[in-house]
Amino acid sequence: MRLNVNDIEENLKAAVIGRQIDYYQQVTSTMDVAREKAERGVLEGSVVVAEEQISGRGRFGRKWVSTPGEDLTFSIVLYPGVWAVSRLTIATAVVVARVLNRSYGLLPGIKWPNDVRINGKKICGILVETAFENDQVRYALIGIGININQSPGHLNEEGLSETTSICHEVGHKVEREEVLQAVLLELSYVYSSLEEWGTVWGDWQKAMEHLGENIKVRWGDRVEEGIAEGVDNDGNLLVRRKDGSVVSLAAGDVTFQV
Ligand code: BTN
């Protein structure tokens, strides 16, 4: 069924994010549409929602696959200061986790840096893309994909599903509009108070799934292996290698070692 964004726009007219929501039936990726809008200088907090993405993308050049009519795929255009950019991915993961907890009673974990998961299964992916000019941020785009009503698909090598959805977790269909509005509202609140970082960062750290575990992190050609010791104030992952040294990683794809 068509997503009804008019009421959300009306309800969020005083918020920074969601005052303007453009709904598309089909796009390549909401990131592409949001980028065009940002290049034209649209209102900060404008949202692009699409029913279907032909080439939805994730981190590390991966595809993002969602079910039209069942899930949510959207991007948000922001014009943050340079200092705020590095906080966006973490803030967004915390916002989605808060909504899943407060509205649906779920207990999400976060796989560093920003995969939101329920019992180890991914329920939301977040992609932040930025454009800089002369050391200033021209714009930042936050792309969010949330599995709402899809049946868990994507089986791994053991034949187990690596993803889940809100519907699957709570046992009934969920209104996509309800989730979209709650996420935009909470993100508006968190984005407007990004200077007060303590609570968001604390929530992020508490939800971190793999601290104390043996992990492998891949980043380009680089691979680091060791115990996930913690995260620092910039959101870097601290990994203690076998030789006892600690390496700080700013990005990467984490896998768990048994
Ligand atoms: C990831 O987990 O690797 C990030 C996935 C991000 C998916 C969202 S869906 C909306 C927006 N448009 C895209 O093409 N990607 C993001």
Side-chain angles (χ1 to χ4, degrees), residues 200-249:
V200 171
W201 195 83
D203 280 5
W204 180 65
Q205 209 192 13
K206 267 187 253 154
M208 196 63 52
E209 280 180 346
H210 39 69
L211 299 185
E213 287 176 25
N214 208 7
I215 57 162
K216 193 181 258 186
V217 187
R218 290 191 179 79
W219 183 13
D221 294 340
R222 203 173 142 186
V223 180
E224 288 289 351
E225 228 177 305
I227 305 286
E229 280 229 322
V231 282
D232 66 17
N233 283 337
D234 298 321
N236 299 322
L237 182 66
L238 305 173
V239 179
R240 184 171 294 277
R241 297 171 172 136
K242 276 207 183 92
D243 67 6
S245 61
V246 175
V247 59
S248 155
L249 301 172

Side-chain angles (χ1 to χ4, degrees), residues 7 17 25 32 34 40 71 76 95 102 122 128 140 144 162 167 171 203 208-209 217 227 231 250:
D7 291 350
I17 298 174
Q25 193 57 42
D32 298 337
R40 283 189 273 118
D71 297 322
I76 301 160
V95 161
R102 289 176 193 163
K122 188 154 162 171
V128 175
I144 306 176
E162 290 175 340
C167 169
D203 280 5
M208 196 63 52
E209 280 180 346
V217 187
I227 305 286
V231 282

Side-chain angles (χ1 to χ4, degrees), residues 56-132:
R57 57 180 180 263
R59 295 166 69 232
F60 308 111
R62 292 193 184 121
K63 281 187 187 160
W64 181 261
V65 182
S66 52
T67 318
E70 305 284 16
D71 297 322
L72 275 178
T73 49
F74 58 104
S75 297
I76 301 160
V77 178
L78 296 172
Y79 305 108
V82 174
W83 66 270
V85 155
S86 63
R87 299 187 172 185
L88 294 179
T89 40
I90 292 175
T92 308
V94 168
V95 161
V96 173
R98 281 182 183 170
V99 168
L100 295 179
N101 178 250
R102 289 176 193 163
S103 306
Y104 303 101
L106 300 174
L107 293 173
I110 295 175
K111 183 179 129 183
W112 182 85
N114 62 2
D115 280 353
V116 183
R117 314 200 314 167
I118 308 286
N119 295 325
K121 293 182 181 179
K122 188 154 162 171
I123 198 162
C124 167
I126 295 159
L127 181 68
V128 175
E129 296 180 350
T130 42
F132 283 85

